[in-house]
Amino acid sequence: DWKKSKNSKEIKKFYHATSVADAKAWDISLDGKGYTNANPSFQIVTYMELTKKDWGILTNGREWRVYSLRSDSKHTTYFEIDLINILATKDTERFKYFYNFFRKEAFVKEASISDRCFLDFVFEDGQFYSQRVEANLQGHAYKVVDTICQGFLANIQNPTEDDLKEVYEYSMYYLFKLMFVLNCESKGLLE
């Protein structure tokens, strides 16, 4: 058990590895529940933490996932490729992602490039993109809420402070409901 041997020689021998990988049987689901060893995602993150590796691979042969300890939600956030689907559809573009993300060189830190690996650069670029999108969404959300508020206020003569608060609350409620419906629609859940 890895938890029990946390400080043992067993774990120390992995300190020089570039990353951690865990291969499950073909029919094992990689999506377990809870934070226990019955959950493969929990297991790989535990192995990464114990061996002090930033990156890890979890696979059952069909699904291939890359995990990062740098992620805020390290147990549930990962990059995933369905290799069988790629091979069955002969999708060479998606295969390039598999090749680039799961090859040994993706995990090897380059001293000449700030001691970072390919996955570090991809992760940092993703964070930067996420921050830009979030800032952009905040600006758009403010404009949308303002427009919704103006629509409600057009029907109120001489609004009071309480009216303004109520209009704002209902506008936010309406926006979140609209976002929920649009999200469900984009995932095909409403068909």
Side-chain angles (χ1 to χ4, degrees):
D1 184 274
W2 282 76
K3 283 283 190 194
K4 292 177 183 170
S5 62
K6 191 184 275 189
N7 296 317
S8 73
K9 292 177 188 174
E10 183 82 17
I11 290 178
K12 290 180 183 174
K13 70 182 179 184
F14 295 102
Y15 286 166
H16 298 291
T18 57
S19 62
V20 177
D22 189 6
K24 300 296 183 189
W26 184 264
D27 59 340
I28 298 293
S29 171
L30 302 182
D31 295 315
K33 293 192 190 260
Y35 297 106
T36 69
N37 278 338
N39 180 345
S41 293
F42 177 80
Q43 285 180 327
I44 190 66
V45 171
T46 299
Y47 299 159
M48 292 162 57
E49 288 171 341
L50 291 172
T51 58
K52 299 179 175 32
K53 300 300 163 208
D54 290 334
W55 297 100
I57 295 174
L58 177 63
T59 184
N60 60 9
R62 170 183 291 278
E63 298 162 310
W64 288 74
R65 294 179 179 177
V66 174
Y67 287 79
S68 174
L69 287 184
R70 297 171 61 188
S71 174
D72 291 335
S73 304
K74 55 191 167 209
H75 294 93
T76 56
T77 303
Y78 47 81
F79 175 74
E80 182 178 70
I81 293 283
D82 183 337
L83 184 59
I84 299 305
N85 186 15
I86 289 171
L87 295 173
T89 60
K90 298 181 179 158
D91 188 342
T92 56
E93 289 303 309
R94 293 289 296 163
F95 185 78
K96 289 176 187 176
Y97 282 97
F98 174 75
Y99 173 76
N100 283 307
F101 279 80
F102 293 93
R103 64 190 174 131
K104 179 182 104 176
E105 292 80 7
F107 299 87
V108 176
K109 295 186 183 285
E110 296 288 333
S112 62
I113 314 175
S114 306
D115 201 34
R116 292 184 288 174
C117 66
F118 168 79
L119 293 174
D120 291 328
F121 285 106
V122 171
F123 183 84
E124 290 161 11
D125 192 50
Q127 282 186 314
F128 178 70
Y129 178 76
S130 173
Q131 290 166 355
R132 286 193 339 235
V133 167
E134 185 177 331
N136 192 15
L137 282 175
Q138 285 175 346
H140 286 305
Y142 175 79
K143 290 177 187 175
V144 170
V145 169
D146 184 55
T147 302
I148 295 169
C149 286
Q150 294 303 322
F152 284 134
L153 289 172
N155 298 316
I156 301 173
Q157 298 281 341
N158 302 320
T160 66
E161 191 69 32
D162 287 339
D163 290 334
L164 294 175
K165 286 180 184 177
E166 189 173 6
V167 163
Y168 177 76
E169 287 175 16
Y170 280 112
S171 297
M172 290 297 291
Y173 176 76
Y174 180 75
L175 174 63
F176 286 121
K177 285 284 240 187
L178 182 62
M179 288 172 54
F180 176 78
V181 168
L182 291 173
N183 183 41
C184 290
E185 186 177 87
S186 74
K187 294 179 179 178
L189 300 175
L190 302 178
E191 295 175 358

